[in-house]
Structures are given as C-alpha cells and as structure tokens.
C-alpha cells in the first residue's frame, strides 16, 4: 500500500494556512490568536484516475482543547473551468488573495466528506486521482493546539476481496462488512508499518522524542532530561567516539563541549607536576596538588545560572573515572591577582588606566574585557 506523509515543515508549507504555523510536530495555532484558524493541505496526486483512497491517520488535539473539522475533496482533474476561466486547483489553494469562503465556494463541487477530526478516518467513500483536505480549528481553551503526523494511505484494499463470493454479494466501498473488517485491517496495517519502519526507530536523527530517551538507556546515559533533544541526537549518533574516550581528559572535554557548546580547559596533575618555586606553589593552590584530581575550567557565559552549574557538576560526576575528583572552575570576566585569569579567555588587554585606591583603602574591582 502507498502513502503520503506530512512529517516536515515543507510538507505543510506546500499547503496554505491562516493563523496556523508549522514546527517539527506539525501545525500549531498562532500565539495569542483565539479565533477560527484553517489549513488547506497540499494536493495529493495518486497518479491514477478514479483512485479509491484508504485511510487518514493523524494526531488530533486533546478532548476539550479544540474542535477541529476536516473536509475532504477529490478530483480527477487539476485544471477546471470556472465560467470561461481555466483555474489550476493548486494555485487556487495557495492563493493569498482569495478568502477562505471563496476557496470553499470554488471547491464545493469536489467536496466529498465532512466530519470532526479523529486520529483514524476511513476514506473508502472518496474516489479521484487528486485528494486534498481542509482543517478548520475552533479553540476551546487557552494554549497551543497541535495537529500533525498526517498519513494518507491509498489505494483502498478491502479484506472482503479475500472472502468467498457469498460474502462479497453486498461488497462496496461503504458496506457494513467492509467497514467492520477495516477496523482489524487498520490494526494490522499499523503493526505492519511499525515492523517495516522499526529500523528508523533506531536512527537517532529521526527517532521520536520518546524513542530517543529509550535509546539513551541502551548506552547508560544518566539523566537524559539534562540534555536538549539536539544534544541527545548528536551524542547517540557519535556514541562510539564519546564512550571510547569516556573516563579520559579528552572524554571530559568532549562531553562538556557538547553540553555547554564550548571547548573547556581540562587541567590534569601531570601537566604541571615538577614545577618548583613560586609558579609551582601557585599552580598547587589553583589546580589541586593531587594526581587523582582534574580541574575543568568553563567560561561563565556557558553556565550562566546556578541550575546550569549544578547540572554540569552532575554530568562530570557521571563521566569521570571512579577514583578521580573533579574540580569545576567558572571563569568570570575579571582579572584576579594569582587567580583564574587568562588573557584572551576571560580577560583582554584594554586601555591603560592608573590604579587607585577607593574608599575604605581597597582597590576597585574593575572589568578588563
């Protein structure tokens, strides 16, 4: 069985919406708008005249959130005569000059079915090479109304065709037996679809949010809700690289960079071991004089809130070697004597001004960058 899928912005943009916008999950009402909204789907071409369409599935709004009415149109012609004028149905549908009422009037001869939107609609009564539909949304409570994941199956294949002749004596596109068997046929088709598409469920770039979190459990990603969806997809797609480096300085750098969006500075004890005199004493005070400790320096802009700071600490605890201690330092954009001040990182040389003592005999703390 063939099908059309609406699963990306371009699928919706080829239609026409009024007070409806598009995002990854489908259609949503314009923010702040509470009146009637509408959406015309693109015109679907089955490439065969007289095609009998099978079913439509979608994600409908929650009960009480909105009333959505759907109207189905079919035709074997894409260009029609309106008086002496030839009209291309696709141009009529996408026209910004025509009002909703005007478009409905032009399309009236092709209207085949009107009903309230459901998650699964049988279309066996619709025939024609081209099919399109109109959604009219009437919100009933505040908040965004989401509709999406449309799939239109064709051509109609009834299980009655596999029954003995006596059971097909009243066979038709809208017979009771045909509609009754379509319930089980739809369940069977859905299961078959899930089996065929299961490989895509394992692809981190296309798996849905719920499946994405399920996949993270395979790789022992703790607290997946700390990450954004995009970060999780990247982490799963490059899992081999990340987990090969896990527990090393390079691994800490990779995980922190993915989380913060910027490469951190990872200082290990052996990098300054053996330094003597004043530099050695200063380094010991800054970077912990312990071979089982690692210091991670991150700019303040990367973790601006206390919540971000605590989340990064939890992440570091999850990816560090068991016996190691992690010392997280947030680089503030100031110059501190004998502190974490690095030229070109969290400070730059600016215009020279003479230092002076402020009130109370203390030197003013001024931002250099």
């Amino acid at each position: 069985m063939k099908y059309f899928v609406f699963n990306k912005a371009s699928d919706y943009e080829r239609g026409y919406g009024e007070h409806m916008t598009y995002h990854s999950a489908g259609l949503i009402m314009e923010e702040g708008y509470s009146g009637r909204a509408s959406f015309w789907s693109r015109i679907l071409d089955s490439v065969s005249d007289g095609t009998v369409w099978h079913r439509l599935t979608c994600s409908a709004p929650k009960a009480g959130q909105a009333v959505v009415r759907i109207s189905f149109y079919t035709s074997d012609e894409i260009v029609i005569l309106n008086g002496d004028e030839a009209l291309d149905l696709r141009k009529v549908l996408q026209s910004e000059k025509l009002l909703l009422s005007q478009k409905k009037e032009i399309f009236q001869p092709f209207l085949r079915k009107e009903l309230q939107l459901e998650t699964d609609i049988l279309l066996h009564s619709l025939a024609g090479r081209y099919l399109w539909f109109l959604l009219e949304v009437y919100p009933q409570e505040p908040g965004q109304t989401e509709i999406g994941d449309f799939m239109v199956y064709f051509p109609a294949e009834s299980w009655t065709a596999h029954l003995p002749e006596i059971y097909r004596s009243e066979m038709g596109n809208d017979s009771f037996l045909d509609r009754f068997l379509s319930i089980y046929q739809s369940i069977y088709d859905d299961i078959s679809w899930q089996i065929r598409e299961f490989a895509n469920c394992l692809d981190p770039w296309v798996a849905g949010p719920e499946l994405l979190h399920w996949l993270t459990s395979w790789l022992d990603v703790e607290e997946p809700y700390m990450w954004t969806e995009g970060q999780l997809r990247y982490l799963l797609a490059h899992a081999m690289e990340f987990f090969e480096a896990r527990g090393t300085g390079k691994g800490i750098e990779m995980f922190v960079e993915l989380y913060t969006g910027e490469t951190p500075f990872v200082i290990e004890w052996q990098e300054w071991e053996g330094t003597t005199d004043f530099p050695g004493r200063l380094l010991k005070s800054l970077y912990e004089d312990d071979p089982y400790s690692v210091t991670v320096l991150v700019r303040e802009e990367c973790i601006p809130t206390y919540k971000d700071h605590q989340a990064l600490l939890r992440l570091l605890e999850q990816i560090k070697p068991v016996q190691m201690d992690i010392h997280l330092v947030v680089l503030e954009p100031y110059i501190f004597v004998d502190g974490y001040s690095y030229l070109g990182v969290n400070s730059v040389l600016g215009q020279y001004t003479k230092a002076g003592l402020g009130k109370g005999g203390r030197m003013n703390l001024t931002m250099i960058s």
Side-chain angles (χ1 to χ4, degrees):
M1 184 173 292
K2 303 174 185 177
Y3 53 85
F4 290 100
V5 183
F6 292 71
N7 60 0
K8 55 185 181 295
S10 60
D11 295 325
Y12 297 97
E13 290 167 355
R14 289 163 62 188
Y16 181 77
E18 294 182 5
H19 305 293
M20 300 288 283
T21 57
Y22 322 102
H23 70 144
S24 58
L27 295 166
I28 59 173
M29 296 276 290
E30 285 183 356
E31 188 173 354
Y33 183 74
S34 58
R36 180 185 69 176
S38 63
F39 172 75
W40 293 94
S41 76
R42 73 182 193 270
I43 296 180
L44 309 177
D45 183 3
S46 69
V47 197
S48 178
D49 289 350
T51 296
V52 177
W53 298 81
H54 181 47
R55 62 189 284 230
L56 175 142
T57 62
C58 68
S59 60
K62 297 177 182 177
Q65 188 178 43
V67 173
V68 183
R69 189 161 187 81
I70 185 168
S71 303
F72 292 97
Y73 301 81
T74 60
S75 172
D76 280 327
E77 303 293 336
I78 199 65
V79 178
I80 62 169
L81 288 176
N82 185 21
D84 297 330
E85 183 183 6
L87 295 178
D88 188 316
L89 296 179
R90 287 167 293 203
K91 293 181 178 179
V92 172
L93 186 147
Q94 295 178 337
S95 174
E96 297 182 0
K97 297 180 180 180
L98 294 173
L99 300 174
L100 174 63
S101 58
Q102 293 174 309
K103 292 181 181 180
K104 291 176 71 173
E105 183 179 350
I106 294 172
F107 290 144
Q108 182 61 35
F110 310 104
L111 178 61
R112 303 290 182 253
K113 192 171 189 175
E114 288 183 298
L115 68 161
Q116 187 168 324
L117 183 67
E118 299 174 356
T119 56
D120 197 335
I121 300 174
L122 192 65
L123 305 178
H124 286 192
S125 59
L126 308 184
R129 171 174 174 171
Y130 302 98
L131 177 141
W132 64 102
F133 57 86
L134 165 66
L135 296 174
E136 295 177 273
V137 184
Y138 303 86
Q140 293 183 306
E141 62 179 34
Q144 289 187 331
T145 301
E146 297 187 359
I147 313 169
D149 299 326
F150 290 95
M151 291 191 67
V152 180
Y153 299 83
F154 71 101
E157 295 179 358
S158 175
W159 279 1
T160 55
H162 303 286
L163 298 177
E165 183 67 29
I166 189 172
Y167 295 103
R168 287 185 280 145
S169 58
E170 297 183 2
M171 182 178 173
N173 292 335
D174 203 28
S175 68
F176 169 78
L177 184 59
D178 182 67
R179 286 182 284 114
F180 179 74
L181 290 179
S182 69
I183 298 172
Y184 304 98
Q185 184 178 355
S186 297
I187 296 172
Y188 175 83
D189 289 341
D190 288 342
I191 294 173
S192 299
W193 164 263
Q194 292 173 9
I195 293 172
R196 289 196 305 270
E197 296 297 313
F198 183 71
N200 289 334
C201 297
L202 304 180
D203 186 341
W205 295 115
V206 298
E210 291 184 6
L211 284 170
L212 197 63
H213 287 95
W214 175 60
L215 290 175
T216 60
S217 65
W218 290 20
L219 299 176
D220 193 30
V221 176
E222 299 181 43
E223 300 184 81
Y225 294 98
M226 288 172 46
W227 303 86
T228 65
E229 184 176 309
Q231 290 171 337
L232 276 181
R233 293 187 189 281
Y234 187 89
L235 176 59
L236 293 175
H238 299 83
M240 182 71 73
E241 304 165 33
F242 276 86
F243 285 91
E244 277 186 346
R246 188 171 183 174
T248 67
K250 179 63 177 175
I252 293 174
E253 183 180 299
M254 291 171 64
F255 276 95
V256 175
E257 181 179 1
L258 178 62
Y259 184 78
T260 65
E262 186 175 291
T263 305
F265 297 90
V266 179
I267 311 299
E268 299 182 77
W269 179 75
Q270 67 269 17
E271 294 182 28
W272 58 270
E273 180 191 8
T275 306
T276 58
D277 302 328
F278 172 73
R281 293 194 299 272
L282 179 59
L283 291 173
K284 287 180 181 179
S285 66
L286 292 175
Y287 302 119
E288 307 290 328
D289 187 18
D290 183 356
Y292 297 101
S293 67
V294 176
T295 302
V296 179
L297 297 92
V298 179
R299 293 198 314 131
E300 186 179 43
E301 291 85 345
C302 298
I303 47 173
T305 67
Y306 176 77
K307 181 180 177 182
D308 294 329
H309 184 273
Q310 293 302 305
L312 183 56
L313 277 176
R314 291 201 305 273
L315 172 63
L316 290 171
E317 286 296 321
Q318 294 165 12
I319 62 177
K320 72 177 182 66
V322 175
Q323 75 278 13
M324 300 294 289
D325 291 323
I326 293 286
H327 182 212
L328 177 61
V329 176
V330 179
L331 299 176
E332 298 179 347
Y334 301 100
I335 286 182
F336 295 94
V337 178
D338 291 345
Y340 299 100
S341 299
Y342 302 93
L343 189 62
V345 178
N346 61 333
S347 62
V348 295
L349 291 179
Q351 184 177 0
Y352 170 76
T353 56
K354 292 183 178 181
L357 292 178
K359 292 181 180 180
R362 293 176 299 179
M363 187 174 290
N364 292 325
L365 180 65
T366 56
M367 182 174 176
I368 302 299
S369 59

